[in-house]
Amino acid sequence: MSENAAIKILICQGTGGVSMGAKEVEAEFTRVINEKGVNATVGKRCDVIKTGCRGLCANDVLVDIITEEQGRVTYDFVKPEEVEMLVDEHIVNKTVLEKRKAKPYYNTFVDQQMRVVMTGCGQINPEKLDAYLEEDGFKAIEKCVKEMNPASVIDEVKKSGLRGRGGGGFPTGMKWSFCAASPGHHKYIICNADEGDPGAFMDRSILEGDPYCIIEGMMIAGFAIGATAGYVYVRAEYPLAIERLQMALDVCYEKGYLGTNVMGLGFDFNLRIKKGAGAFVCGEETALMASIEGERGMPRPRPPFPAVKGLWAKPTNINNVETFANVRHIILRGAEWYASLGTETTKGTKIFAVTGKVKHTGLVEVPAGMSIREVIYNVCGGIANNRKFKAVQAGGPSGGCIPAEILDTPVDYDSLIKAGAMMGSGGLVVMDETTCMVDVARFFLTFTRDESCGKCVPCRIGLKAMLDILERITEGRGQESDIETLLEMGNTIKKASLCGLGQTAPNPILSTVKYFRHEYEAHILDKRCPSNCCKELLLWQVVEEKCVKCGACLKACPVDAIKWEKGQVAELIKEKCTKCKSCYDACRFMAIE
Amino acid sequence: MSNAPAEATKAEEAPAEEIDLEPANHIIDKYLTLPGNLMPVLQGIQDEYGYVPRPTIDLVAERLNVYPSQIFGVLTFYAQFHLKPRGRFIIRVCVGTACHVQGAPRIVETFFDKLGIGHAETTPDLRYTFEKVACLGACGMAPLAMVNDSTYGQMTVQKVDQIIADYNQRPMKK
């Protein structure tokens, strides 16, 4: 990328972009520009730049074209066959293709956010060190070494109020000071990128879109604590993130940003990637360290805390990806600036992965303390298909459900815990009236039961027993005492489990019982699923009053179990029906029960 | 993870396989001096052979000086390792939260019906292996399926048919 390049074409190449064909789009841009000699025609260089994720993955492939005349224009859903037209019209003729431009909601989605951690994502080429250096890359570590000392770096982080973004919310500066105070010369820094929560993908996007900022964050932590070596523990399910991070590490070693006497600043820092192997529990810090040592990823009791006795029995400091990504901004722009964002107890911004039944799913970075209602309705455009909002599940398998009546809860650590959910990794799964809360609880419990490491009894046996009860309920064989049993077991498991997985696994059940007890009761007492979701409890018939005779269900049915003629109410033939629910999903009027 | 123990016992009943240990030795050489090298070695073997063959386990045990039981412990703990040969095409259907809410269970069942195999199973002709995965991290395109490295977003029951028809045509050789 050069300073005088007047035309930039930014092509989103996060995992979402690549799977929608971003590589082909990029190749096509390069081909068209070279073959047509566009550079000569417009008298300026055209740079085709691959970038990381911009957050609105549902609209991939996203292409931004930045020219002097038009400023920045975004096109979405770009296909390779449209590229030539875009080049001809936008770059050569300098006219914006209004028809193909991203709809106004795209700008709303972007403008409502506050990008701090994700400034680089979607703007710079994650595979080029120069692009990062242009964004003041490695200036923060330089400032730490030249103008500050380890103690003042820790003080700065303490003053900023940064709390662990992995979900627990422990003050980062405090954590660092514990590890810094531990005796010994050999210490480790670990970045936890084992983002196993279903429905969260911000860590992956940062690694794919701006890998150097993680490296720098870890260097700063290393300098502050006195650690000379570090690991980044990445999920194996993220091949692209691993590839780009490895590329970044190789370049850093080559250019002297890592290794001995880093950047000539007089301290050593070595980093290595450690690939996970598919175990959710490895996101727990003690299990993660066992995994790096080559063992089964089983948690161990704390104390001793990792800050005292961690990896290979050496003092170790573990932070999440997003936490490290915040650090350089705090150092460069000052703790006061950072502390001015957010709420009393939660400072800075937080990235949320908003998914489920919203119009625009994707990554959203907002100042902590924005209300959930604003995130869902203002940023993400509200609920899809004109359906009614029912609840939002915050914090993944360890979080809870937040119903409509407390939608104005601000998103900070303490308010969410008060509401019975938790920040967790920052996944927000939005659910509408067709989502059954008992089924959701069962889903999360199935996940945590599968992923339980089996070391302690409450989690291993307890989750299985709770799941059996929930399965019975969703199949219409619930008993009246079940709800009480679930509550009692859930509270016991919370108290008695060894690690965070077991201690939080009952949360989805406890919170759904708290806010949606009537749904449980309907399943148990009336043998009905109010959301028409649990297959065993559906009647499989068409509600005549609701049917608008549109025939959408006929088209959707894969086994011809629907009888329908124009102007007639549809009919469902139970003998043929395989209970696949295709018709139910296709119907916009909830006319199938 | 829940299926792993069953896989392990079956693997022990299987007759000893004849495989070329040369690549496995190369991988071990590469990581020999690294602390905590067991996992990277096993991951390398998994990538090389498509699964972790029994003879390689004995080899790793001998060369890294760990008990085979310890290696089995690691192999059966992590979802990524497999003790039996896998299909040419690995179909993964995401059953993460967002995909679940958007109807992933039905996509899974349709694959079960069409392929006649369940979760973590392989068709007898070694063409397909089917897996449910917790989250592939592309929730914007839920429900999601992957075949080897190709991603298919916004899955429907009809798309399942198209995918299987497509991959039935493809050659078994890499």
Side-chain angles (χ1 to χ4, degrees), chain A residues 204 276 295 439 443 535 580, chain B residues 43 73 78 95 100 106 109 137:
Chain A
R204 194 199 61 191
E295 310 270 333
D439 181 66
F443 163 79
K535 270 203 310 210
C580 78
Chain B
Q43 281 169 328
Y78 295 102
V95 292
H100 178 83
R106 192 167 57 249
E109 277 166 33

Side-chain angles (χ1 to χ4, degrees), chain B residues 2-15:
Chain B
S2 49
N3 61 336
E7 227 185 71
T9 48
K10 278 183 198 154
E12 280 162 326
E13 290 161 16

Side-chain angles (χ1 to χ4, degrees), chain A residues 19-20 198-199 204 235 272 274-278 291 295-297 355-357 361 439 443-444 447 451 535 580 585, chain B residues 1 34 39-40 43 73 77-80 95-98 100-102 106 109 134-137 139-141 151 158:
Chain A
S19 58
M20 296 311 271
R204 194 199 61 191
R235 273 182 90 190
R272 180 185 272 290
K274 173 80 199 158
K275 272 197 329 194
S291 185
E295 310 270 333
R296 292 170 71 112
T355 55
K357 309 269 186 179
T361 54
D439 181 66
F443 163 79
F444 280 117
F447 177 80
E451 293 294 345
K535 270 203 310 210
C580 78
D585 285 7
Chain B
M1 242 192 283
L34 187 80
M39 289 252 297
Q43 281 169 328
F77 183 85
Y78 295 102
Q80 207 197 2
V95 292
T97 321
H100 178 83
V101 175
Q102 304 279 33
R106 192 167 57 249
E109 277 166 33
C135 184
L136 292 163
C139 313
M141 302 183 295
T151 314
Q158 286 78 1

Side-chain angles (χ1 to χ4, degrees), chain A residues 310-351:
Chain A
L311 187 66
W312 286 302
K314 300 280 191 294
T316 305
N317 177 74
I318 304 182
N319 287 122
N320 169 274
V321 173
E322 204 186 322
T323 314
F324 281 125
N326 272 295
V327 172
R328 68 178 277 243
H329 299 284
I330 292 172
I331 299 294
L332 279 182
R333 294 158 91 169
E336 286 75 24
W337 165 81
Y338 192 85
S340 69
L341 308 171
T343 63
E344 193 57 40
T345 55
T346 309
K347 301 297 185 194
T349 58
K350 175 76 190 100
I351 307 176

Side-chain angles (χ1 to χ4, degrees), chain A residues 33-224:
Chain A
I33 285 168
N34 289 342
E35 281 183 15
K36 295 200 161 189
V38 174
N39 292 352
T41 320
V42 291
K44 285 175 187 150
R45 282 232 344 257
C46 298
D47 282 338
V48 182
I49 302 165
K50 62 157 92 169
T51 69
C53 174
R54 314 227 175 117
L56 195 61
C57 311
N59 290 32
D60 270 321
V61 180
L62 291 162
V63 176
D64 279 10
I65 302 181
I66 306 174
T67 58
E68 233 167 283
E69 296 83 4
Q70 319 285 8
R72 172 188 288 254
V73 180
T74 306
Y75 294 100
D76 56 3
F77 302 110
V78 176
K79 301 261 175 300
E81 50 271 24
E82 296 173 322
V83 167
E84 194 155 351
M85 178 176 77
L86 285 178
V87 173
D88 284 346
E89 291 296 319
H90 193 115
I91 296 175
V92 181
N93 296 339
K94 302 188 171 45
T95 45
V96 178
L97 274 163
E98 292 297 338
K99 267 202 205 130
R100 288 294 296 109
K101 235 170 75 169
K103 304 278 175 293
Y105 69 73
Y106 176 82
N107 295 329
T108 317
F109 181 87
V110 175
D111 296 342
Q112 297 268 342
Q113 300 184 39
M114 179 171 183
R115 293 259 165 134
V116 174
V117 176
M118 291 180 70
T119 36
C121 293
Q123 305 306 326
I124 61 169
N125 184 337
E127 296 177 6
K128 291 243 164 52
L129 175 64
D130 292 344
Y132 181 66
L133 293 177
E134 269 180 39
E135 298 280 318
D136 291 335
F138 295 109
K139 287 260 174 22
I141 180 71
E142 224 170 305
K143 183 177 167 183
C144 286
V145 179
K146 287 182 176 161
E147 299 168 30
M148 303 162 85
N149 59 35
S152 64
V153 171
I154 292 178
D155 268 347
E156 196 72 11
V157 175
K158 271 188 187 166
K159 273 202 302 234
S160 74
L162 173 65
R163 293 170 66 175
R165 291 287 188 258
F170 192 81
T172 307
M174 288 248 288
K175 202 183 221 177
W176 288 13
S177 64
F178 293 153
C179 193
S182 287
H185 290 297
H186 215 92
K187 297 178 184 177
Y188 289 101
I189 299 282
I190 297 178
C191 172
N192 183 347
D194 187 75
E195 192 179 33
D197 276 20
F201 47 99
M202 63 286 293
D203 294 356
R204 194 199 61 191
S205 295
I206 298 171
L207 287 171
E208 286 174 2
D210 197 359
Y212 290 100
C213 80
I214 306 296
I215 296 172
E216 188 173 8
M218 291 181 75
M219 282 160 87
I220 294 167
F223 172 73

Side-chain angles (χ1 to χ4, degrees), chain A residues 357 377 382-391 404 430-435 590:
Chain A
K357 309 269 186 179
Y377 285 90
I383 311 296
N385 296 338
N386 297 326
R387 287 190 167 149
K388 277 216 303 281
F389 171 88
K390 184 189 267 186
V430 180
M431 304 173 188
D432 65 11
E433 57 201 320
T434 62
T435 316
M590 313 276 286

